[in-house]
Amino acid sequence: MAHSPAPDQGHDITRNALYRRITLRLIPFIFICYLFNYLDRVNVGFAKLQMLDALKFSETVYGLGAGIFFIGYVLCGLPSNLALNRFGPRRWIALMMIAWGSLSTCLLFVTTPTEFYALRLLTGAAEAGFFPGVVLYLSRWFPADRRGRIMALFMSAIPVSGLLGGPFSGWILQHFAAGQHGLAGWQWLFLIQGLPTVVLGLLAIKLLSDGYQKADWLSAAERQMIAADLEADAASKPVTTGESVLSVLRNPLIWTFGFIYFCIQSGVYAINFWLPSIIKGMGFDSPLLIGWLSAIPYLLAGVFMILVGRSADLRNERRWHLVVPMLMGAIGLLIAVNFAANPTIAILGLSIATMGALTGLPMFWPMPTALLSAGAAVAGLALINSVGQMAGFLSPYLVGFIKDQTGSTDAALYSLAGLIVVGSLVALRVTRKGALQAARAH
């Protein structure tokens, strides 16, 4: 097995200093991009508070529109990641952001269910390659023993988007409630939150490097150190996987990872799309107050996510750092359902659910990135992500359909909690077979 070389004496390079500098160079911008990515994806949860009445949409229409995004997402995830690998992350990420930012902004022009469905489908297709592309991109900069905290830093954009996006979305809806310049509050929401993504896409061309090999801000010795670390990773991978798309499709481990990710995302999207409505159902009517209350679970989740990510890397332990948060997600949903009449306990339950479900996301990704070879990762990560993101279609649609049929979201949230528990048991089985040996070998 290859080992990291000693620091170059002339430049007094240390691994920690090098990776800290790379983190500061890459993560803040990628974090902001992912923040707006997630905001553009889930802001329909707040737009719903006014959009349904204005356009006379049913809960089922909303659930289908919220979820159909992920049909485009799933269909285009794999080809988009292959294109990113072909044309380079810098250009492809920029193109994706400009496209989805424009499409998300155009949601303000929606007047019929068909238009709503079409734009959500196209927005999902445009966004499809961003997340798996960034996971692949970061795996080519950071060795496996650092990916827990890096993924937590990157994916903390999800709770931060909820923390900032909730109050901000509530303020937009309330401030523009009477309509200004011919646009309603929900239309201003799509406009104000969609256009910055286009600007970030243009900035990506200048601010991102295609890889450490082409980063002119690194010295030759620093590039050599990164190369040695990544070569050591490659040598220690216990799972050998063919690099063709067909071999990836035939690999049962990748499909198992996809199912685990599907279970995690089922809880995440139930929270993201329905948290404002669940809080409103507790008796709160002010959009601004709903926004502030919805920020509480995300604030706690952001802190918890980073702490767990650091703990996982420091202890070189992945198994329980994934499973425990998943179980927290299920328990939190059950608390929220059973204490809906008590807003304090219900919001505590939603906070536990959000902390657990969202922390499960970054704790999951070090597993497949530690196991897949560089070539297999291009298709494998995209496929795992696409399978998991199918939950983004099924979860909100299931909640909307059951609410229309029963007048309550309780049965749907019970079902999703059960699914998360099943996913945690599968994750335990995978890790028991030794699938995390690569992550622990460093």
Side-chain angles (χ1 to χ4, degrees), residues 374-409:
V378 175
L381 296 180
L383 181 59
I384 291 168
N385 187 57
S386 292
V387 172
Q389 294 295 351
M390 290 172 66
F393 171 73
L394 294 174
S395 178
Y397 181 70
L398 175 70
V399 177
F401 177 77
I402 290 178
K403 186 175 182 183
D404 272 344
Q405 299 301 311
T406 67
S408 170
T409 57

Side-chain angles (χ1 to χ4, degrees), residues 83-398:
L84 180 142
N85 197 52
R86 170 69 177 82
F87 299 111
R90 186 170 60 92
R91 294 182 183 87
W92 194 253
I93 287 173
L95 180 63
M96 285 190 290
M97 294 186 70
I98 293 168
W100 97 60
S102 301
L103 289 164
S104 182
T105 303
C106 286
L107 281 165
L108 70 91
F109 300 115
V110 162
T111 57
T112 68
T114 301
E115 293 170 353
F116 183 44
Y117 300 154
L119 274 175
R120 288 287 293 172
L121 182 71
L122 292 172
T123 306
E127 286 190 27
F130 179 78
F131 178 78
V134 170
V135 173
L136 180 66
Y137 182 64
L138 294 177
S139 74
R140 294 177 176 178
W141 283 88
F142 296 95
D145 63 345
R146 294 176 181 268
R147 286 181 202 151
R149 72 196 82 176
I150 290 301
M151 288 304 300
L153 283 172
F154 161 53
M155 297 189 74
S156 64
I158 300 176
V160 171
S161 73
L163 174 63
L164 301 179
F168 184 46
S169 298
W171 177 83
I172 292 172
L173 292 178
Q174 187 161 302
H175 182 75
F176 294 101
Q180 293 186 28
H181 303 289
L183 298 179
W186 64 271
Q187 292 174 305
W188 279 106
L189 180 68
F190 288 127
L191 179 66
I192 292 172
Q193 295 184 356
L195 286 181
T197 302
V198 178
V199 176
L200 288 168
L202 295 172
L203 288 174
I205 298 173
K206 181 171 180 61
L207 296 179
L208 293 181
S209 304
D210 274 328
Y212 70 89
Q213 304 94 328
K214 297 182 179 180
D216 56 11
W217 44 274
L218 292 175
S219 69
E222 289 171 327
R223 287 194 286 269
Q224 181 183 1
M225 185 179 293
I226 298 168
D229 284 349
L230 296 179
E231 285 169 10
D233 270 357
S236 69
K237 293 180 189 292
V239 177
T240 55
T241 306
E243 298 192 356
S244 70
V245 174
L246 187 59
S247 65
V248 167
L249 291 172
R250 290 174 174 170
N251 189 316
L253 183 62
I254 288 176
W255 290 101
T256 303
F257 278 137
F259 174 74
I260 296 169
Y261 197 53
F262 175 90
C263 295
I264 299 171
Q265 289 285 25
S266 293
V268 170
Y269 284 115
I271 294 165
N272 286 336
F273 285 118
W274 292 94
L275 183 60
S277 299
I278 292 170
I279 292 174
K280 184 178 181 180
M282 295 175 187
F284 300 99
D285 293 321
S286 165
L288 186 58
L289 180 58
I290 292 171
W292 281 110
L293 289 174
S294 70
I296 295 171
Y298 288 112
L299 172 63
L300 297 173
V303 175
F304 187 65
M305 182 183 286
I306 292 173
L307 291 176
V308 173
R310 287 181 59 84
S311 172
D313 280 353
L314 290 172
R315 290 169 173 78
N316 242 348
E317 201 285 325
R318 304 293 176 194
R319 185 183 194 188
W320 293 105
H321 282 82
L322 170 64
V323 172
V324 171
M326 288 179 70
L327 293 174
M328 283 176 60
I331 292 168
L333 286 176
L334 294 177
I335 292 172
V337 171
N338 286 286
F339 292 91
N342 186 323
T344 303
I345 299 179
I347 290 175
L348 174 63
L350 288 172
S351 297
I352 294 171
T354 307
M355 291 165 66
L358 265 61
T359 299
L361 296 176
M363 291 304 95
F364 168 82
W365 283 106
M367 295 165 60
T369 57
L371 295 173
L372 299 176
S373 64
V378 175
L381 296 180
L383 181 59
I384 291 168
N385 187 57
S386 292
V387 172
Q389 294 295 351
M390 290 172 66
F393 171 73
L394 294 174
S395 178
Y397 181 70
L398 175 70

